Amino acid sequence: MSTQKEYQSGKMGEENKVILYGMWLSPYVKRVELALKVKGIPFEYVEEDLSNKSPLLLKYNPIHKKVPVLVHNGKPVNESLVILEYIDETWKNGPRLFPEDPYERSKVRFWAAYIQQVMECMLKIFKAEDQEKACEEFYQKLGVLEDGMKKMFPGGSPKIEGGNVGLLDILILVALGACKAQEEVFGVKFLDPEKTPLIYSWVNNLLELPVLKETVPPHDKVVSFLRAFKERSTNAQAQ
């Protein structure tokens, strides 16, 4: 991991340098980090303190002032899904994140947007005063995703062969890969092998791939962060 001072001093100014500005637990940052690793693209990672955003982050993303930001050849690219398309179009070596066929690519984009909705419903559970209602919405969307993926993949199951990881693999892993830590803190069973067997096995198979497993945040660190978050949310609701 590199520091802000190194970038500001110009030590990281080589051409073709790829820099990712992020925050270790952000699912949007993890999407980009996974894509870079899957494609075998060397990059420098800069951890941002979102309570004290760096001048470079504000310079590279002046509109939203958020992570992730990918800087390639000194040019910033913002928004995780936009960055993922940029990566796939710029570096055509290694596994392709998007299918070549336009129709297949349109289906991947559709389900990518839906996985985004599933993840947003999951995040609502962490903040909801009415957790039961939030869970109901999440399970409904997860069930739709389960049925959709059965039709999406030949044979009704995603095949992960030789580390050939695509966009939907990355998005589903980021959305649900840390669910054991989330279940431990919030007492909600997010993945059930009986109700959503395809998604359950899909996530667990992805977690066995070394390039993906090493990118998932450490369980204990996630639990500690979520417990602190839960405590703050509970105190805020009580006021």
Side-chain angles (χ1 to χ4, degrees):
M1 182 184 298
S2 299
T3 66
Q4 290 290 349
K5 289 182 179 179
E6 289 176 306
Y7 292 103
Q8 291 168 342
S9 67
K11 292 180 180 179
M12 298 293 180
E14 302 95 330
E15 289 189 10
N16 296 317
K17 174 70 71 176
V18 178
I19 308 167
L20 173 61
Y21 293 83
M23 181 268 185
W24 70 274
L25 194 57
S26 166
Y28 306 102
V29 172
K30 285 297 174 186
R31 292 172 174 179
V32 179
E33 186 179 349
L34 281 169
L36 290 168
K37 289 184 176 180
V38 164
K39 298 277 280 186
I41 302 166
F43 69 98
E44 298 288 345
Y45 176 78
V46 179
E47 177 74 11
E48 281 285 338
D49 177 0
L50 299 185
S51 64
N52 184 25
K53 297 171 184 177
S54 72
L56 284 177
L57 176 62
L58 300 178
K59 171 188 172 183
Y60 288 133
N61 192 356
I63 295 175
H64 297 300
K65 303 177 176 63
K66 294 179 179 179
V67 292
V69 174
L70 184 81
V71 179
H72 178 220
N73 287 334
K75 298 176 182 178
V77 186
N78 301 313
E79 297 297 309
S80 63
L81 291 177
V82 175
I83 295 172
L84 293 175
E85 291 212 38
Y86 176 84
I87 288 171
D88 209 37
E89 292 170 2
T90 303
W91 291 276
K92 298 186 182 296
N93 58 299
R96 294 305 303 267
L97 304 179
F98 292 82
E100 292 285 355
D101 179 75
Y103 179 67
E104 292 300 318
R105 192 158 59 245
S106 72
K107 290 198 296 182
V108 165
R109 285 196 177 106
F110 174 86
W111 285 112
Y114 195 83
I115 292 173
Q116 171 80 14
Q117 293 178 32
V118 172
M119 187 177 74
E120 288 171 355
C121 283
M122 187 179 190
L123 295 175
K124 284 182 186 177
I125 295 172
F126 304 160
K127 304 175 183 178
E129 292 185 33
D130 188 347
Q131 193 179 76
E132 185 177 345
K133 184 178 179 181
C135 286
E136 184 179 340
E137 182 183 5
F138 169 74
Y139 292 138
Q140 187 273 330
K141 286 194 176 294
L142 195 66
V144 171
L145 180 62
E146 173 86 3
D147 293 339
M149 292 302 93
K150 287 176 181 176
K151 297 174 184 176
M152 180 77 178
F153 295 108
S157 179
K159 290 181 172 58
I160 306 162
E161 299 173 346
N164 190 24
V165 175
L167 179 71
L168 296 185
D169 298 305
I170 288 172
L171 296 189
I172 199 70
L173 180 64
V174 168
L176 297 166
C179 65
K180 288 184 179 179
Q182 294 154 349
E183 288 171 359
E184 183 176 329
V185 175
F186 293 97
V188 175
K189 192 169 185 62
F190 293 102
L191 278 184
D192 189 324
E194 294 184 3
K195 294 180 180 178
T196 52
L198 184 150
I199 295 175
Y200 180 87
S201 62
W202 187 12
V203 170
N204 282 285
N205 288 339
L206 287 168
L207 285 170
E208 293 302 313
L209 294 178
V211 69
L212 302 185
K213 192 173 184 177
E214 69 182 17
T215 309
V216 175
H219 176 87
D220 292 344
K221 190 176 180 181
V222 175
V223 168
S224 178
F225 180 91
L226 290 178
R227 281 181 176 156
F229 173 84
K230 183 181 179 182
E231 183 177 353
R232 289 195 302 271
S233 297
T234 302
N235 293 337
Q237 291 172 11
Q239 292 176 358

